Amino acid sequence: GEVAADPVSRDAWKGLSVALRRTENLGMAARAVTTLLRLDPSPINHRDASLLFSLGGNNQAATLHLEAAVRGGVLSWTSAAMLGTAYARNVGNKGGPGGAAAWCRLSVRTLRMSVRLAPGNHRGYPSAALTTALLAASHFPPNVGPFPPDLASLREAQSAYLQAAAHTPLFLPPHRDPTVRNNASDGGAP
């Protein structure tokens, strides 16, 4: 109703995109948020668009909008964690400058920033995401040991894992560290 009454109302388009997202009509919500961004390309609206596109599975659009939000000044530990996680999802995309290794480096650097920005009691999620990104980094040649020496170390992955386990009760317990081969809890299986 409000959009039909005033098609240039930013508030009406924002409300419509939120209502459509809540009803899980993500295609229509994406169209509404696209119109909202034409009317008001604010950093907050870009952050909200990023969340919507991420929910809809459009990781490329989600990443672009989140980068626009951060460039516009919406930088918090949560936006850094979202951006680092979005970069990590792009690791499977071999295209672009530097390919998968470049996405992995962006992910690790952004998630490190997220861990630094997060208050102590909120470091679980960014630490878990950093652990995952660091473990993914271990798969890119040429490697000296398990990690590219200019990017990360096994020690940092273990530290991030333990920090995640300490701050996130639903995370795996410290004795089940995925960075360690032959966990005792597995009966010694690799």
Side-chain angles (χ1 to χ4, degrees), residues 72-90:
V74 180
L75 179 62
S76 65
W77 74 267
T78 54
S79 58
M82 287 170 54
L83 188 56
T85 303
Y87 288 152
R89 281 193 298 267
N90 286 324

Side-chain angles (χ1 to χ4, degrees), residues 14-34:
K14 186 169 188 113
L16 180 61
S17 71
V18 169
L20 289 167
R21 183 185 77 216
R22 288 185 180 162
T23 62
E24 298 183 16
N25 190 340
L26 299 178
M28 294 298 290
R31 289 173 54 188
V33 81
T34 300

Side-chain angles (χ1 to χ4, degrees), residues 2 11 13 39 47 94-95 100 115 130 135 161 185:
E2 284 185 50
D11 291 337
W13 284 105
L39 296 170
R47 185 198 59 206
K94 306 291 187 220
V115 171
L130 179 59
L135 290 173
Y161 178 86
S185 63

Side-chain angles (χ1 to χ4, degrees), residues 127-152:
S127 295
L130 179 59
T131 301
T132 303
L134 290 168
L135 290 173
S138 69
H139 300 291
F140 296 111
N143 291 347
V144 177
F147 288 91
D150 63 318
L151 181 62

Side-chain angles (χ1 to χ4, degrees), residues 150-173:
D150 63 318
L151 181 62
S153 69
L154 181 60
R155 182 182 186 113
E156 182 179 8
Q158 288 172 325
S159 173
Y161 178 86
L162 292 173
Q163 190 170 43
H167 293 287
T168 308
L170 297 177
F171 201 65
L172 293 173

Side-chain angles (χ1 to χ4, degrees), residues 60-138:
Q60 184 178 11
T63 302
L64 291 173
H65 285 290
L66 195 50
E67 287 174 332
V70 169
R71 274 193 310 274
V74 180
L75 179 62
S76 65
W77 74 267
T78 54
S79 58
M82 287 170 54
L83 188 56
T85 303
Y87 288 152
R89 281 193 298 267
N90 286 324
V91 168
N93 175 8
K94 306 291 187 220
W103 283 116
C104 195
R105 281 184 169 73
L106 278 171
S107 176
V108 168
R109 288 180 182 143
T110 307
L111 289 166
R112 282 178 181 153
M113 178 176 52
S114 176
V115 171
R116 284 193 307 272
L117 292 172
N121 60 334
H122 290 285
R123 288 194 177 135
Y125 169 70
S127 295
L130 179 59
T131 301
T132 303
L134 290 168
L135 290 173
S138 69

